[in-house]
Amino acid sequence: MKRALFAAAALCVAAAPAPKVAPLLDARDLDPALVLPPPPAAGSAQALAELAELRAAGTVRTAADEADARLDGDTKNATIFAGVLGPKFDLDRLPATAVLLAQVRASEKAAVDRGKDHFKRPRPYVIDPALKSCKRNDDPLSSYPSGHTSMAFSMGETLARLVPEKADALLARAARYGQSRIVCEQHFRSDVSAGQMLGLLIAERLLAKPDFRAGFDAARRELVIAGIATG
């Protein structure tokens, strides 16, 4: 039922391709190597515990759990928040919001890529090929931090500032989205935690940029007019 409801909501708000924008944050603004702790050392107690968590996840997940997690993994855009914000959240009809979220996405991806290139943590299925990972088509040394989780929290925090009356639900949805990376056995727990931390930092640093703030104010007005946010 959950998967059907989410798929229906996503179809209701299917947006045109995101506007192409340049990242607003560079390494001087946010360097993952400086703000994130290193991942657990290979063979450490924490690393072994995280691997055990993934093995357990594979034994308890249901077919519905896996389908939900796969759908989240395939939906790497703001439509993951459709169930929270409702059918009026249609980025085809919200151009200022679409541009703002495209800026979040571009800045987030650039930051995450810097982090992955620095830490080069092996994916869980590289450590244990017996894991039942949903997909194995990612760079094998790209586990830390989780980009899906970073996207969810950078967009979720931005939307929470835009629509504060739904902040708790938006961030709860971001957390469920991050958890799907565990359900799919594609990331370790510390990858997801680092993605959450980085995503929140990205939103914070963007909101300190005057150009982004001007776009934020325009998006806020647009969402109020659309009836998605209260004035």
Side-chain angles (χ1 to χ4, degrees), residues 82-86 156 159-160 162-172 227-229:
V84 176
L85 296 176
L159 287 166
L162 288 166
V163 191
E165 60 271 27
K166 295 187 177 179
D168 289 346
L170 287 162
L171 292 175
I228 297 170

Side-chain angles (χ1 to χ4, degrees), residues 43 61 86 116 139 160 190-191 201 209:
R61 76 184 182 201
K116 290 179 182 290
D139 181 339
S190 54
D191 302 338
L201 279 171
K209 293 277 187 181

Side-chain angles (χ1 to χ4, degrees), residues 7 50 53 64 89 101 108 115 118 154 223 228 231:
E50 291 186 358
E53 179 186 23
F89 184 63
L101 293 176
E108 172 269 324
H118 174 78
S154 58
L223 291 170
I228 297 170

Side-chain angles (χ1 to χ4, degrees), residues 50-68:
E50 291 186 358
L51 185 57
E53 179 186 23
L54 293 182
R55 288 170 175 158
T59 64
V60 301
R61 76 184 182 201
T62 65
D65 292 335
E66 182 177 342
D68 289 339

Side-chain angles (χ1 to χ4, degrees), residues 104 108 149-159 198-200 202-203:
V104 175
E108 172 269 324
T149 308
S150 179
M151 183 214 75
F153 275 94
S154 58
M155 287 190 176
E157 178 65 15
T158 301
L159 287 166
L198 187 60
L200 293 173
I202 287 164

